[in-house]
């Protein structure tokens, strides 16, 4: 499912206009992004938890040249599914 299909599904499930469903989805994504950027986590009970995790600097290899390179430390988004979501997937 892509973004347009998700917007159409949200609109039909909630009797919203597609433009309103798109505004909602964009606001949700922006709020998740903002929360993670601040270093906080977002927990939706039954669905899961979004958080930013730190990756330390490490050494890697450039596959084209074989030269060793340093991969900078960074933050990466992480999602841990909740119990209800896991149970639904394993029915």
């Amino acid at each position: 499912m892509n973004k347009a299909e998700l917007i159409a599904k949200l609109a039909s499930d909630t009797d919203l206009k597609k433009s309103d469903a798109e505004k909602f989805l964009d606001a949700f994504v922006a709020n998740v992004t903002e929360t993670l950027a601040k270093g906080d986590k977002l927990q939706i009970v039954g669905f899961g938890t979004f958080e930013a995790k730190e990756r330390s600097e490490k050494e890697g290899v450039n596959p084209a040249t074989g030269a060793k390179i340093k991969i900078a430390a960074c933050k990466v988004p992480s999602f841990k599914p909740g119990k209800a979501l896991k149970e639904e997937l394993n029915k």
Side-chain angles (χ1 to χ4, degrees), residues 33-67:
T33 302
E34 182 181 318
T35 300
L36 297 182
K38 288 191 295 187
D40 296 336
K41 66 181 178 179
L42 173 70
Q43 183 177 17
I44 302 172
V45 176
F47 182 69
T49 304
F50 297 90
E51 65 182 312
K53 293 189 175 184
E54 298 275 339
R55 271 203 191 147
S56 59
E57 184 178 280
K58 62 183 180 180
E59 194 171 278
V61 177
N62 181 334
T65 64

Side-chain angles (χ1 to χ4, degrees), residues 3 20-34:
K3 183 178 178 180
D20 291 336
E22 183 174 13
K23 286 178 188 176
F24 170 80
L25 182 59
D26 289 343
F28 176 78
V29 170
N31 280 281
V32 170
T33 302
E34 182 181 318

